[in-house]
Amino acid sequence: QVQLVESGGGVVHSGGSLRLSCVVNMRTRNPYVIGWFRQTPGKEREFVAGTTWSGNTSTYADSVKGRFTISRNVAESTVYLQMNSLTPEDTAVYYCNFAETMQLLKTPAGLSAWHQGTQVTVSS
């Protein structure tokens, strides 16, 4: 069983910052890659950022490059998403999930084990 628990969402003004957290409990082993995704009503879930569990490789969607930073704390089995310079277009429910490879991670439609996510609302 896999447990992914997201937190840290909230309401901020445009230009503000938030840090999301995802506690990961794989029970058997650590994930190879893990990332953040977001979804707005009527749209497909999209990839936002991903990192290897080792932390040596990270990748971002073009829309968040330079503004968002993904990191992880191995001892706490937690993955973070630091979000700066937020805009109303970043408003969404944010989820974390894992995969065997970064290529698979970038295709959220193929992933399972989605948790409830955390709502981020950016007001103009």
Side-chain angles (χ1 to χ4, degrees):
Q1 291 289 341
V2 176
Q3 290 183 328
L4 306 165
V5 182
E6 304 97 342
S7 63
V11 180
V12 295
H13 290 298
S14 184
S17 299
L18 281 174
R19 189 176 81 155
L20 307 182
S21 301
C22 173
V23 178
V24 182
N25 186 348
M26 294 280 291
R27 297 190 184 276
T28 57
R29 61 167 176 82
N30 291 323
Y32 292 117
V33 293
I34 190 162
W36 287 94
F37 308 80
R38 65 188 182 187
Q39 188 173 26
T40 55
K43 293 188 177 180
E44 293 186 351
R45 191 173 283 138
E46 65 173 353
F47 170 82
V48 174
T51 183
T52 54
W53 194 249
S54 64
N56 57 7
T57 302
S58 297
T59 186
Y60 298 89
D62 288 342
S63 58
V64 306
K65 279 181 182 177
R67 301 188 299 122
F68 291 11
T69 303
I70 189 170
S71 63
R72 87 279 178 271
N73 183 318
V74 173
E76 297 181 354
S77 293
T78 302
V79 179
Y80 301 99
L81 185 67
Q82 177 66 44
M83 306 186 296
N84 299 327
S85 302
L86 286 162
T87 73
E89 288 69 36
D90 296 314
T91 295
V93 178
Y94 284 72
Y95 304 86
C96 64
N97 212 330
F98 66 97
E100 297 294 313
T101 68
M102 197 66 77
Q103 183 175 1
L104 289 173
L105 193 72
K106 291 182 177 181
T107 311
L111 304 179
S112 60
W114 297 101
H115 200 250
Q116 64 183 20
T118 185
Q119 175 71 48
V120 171
T121 302
V122 184
S123 61
S124 58

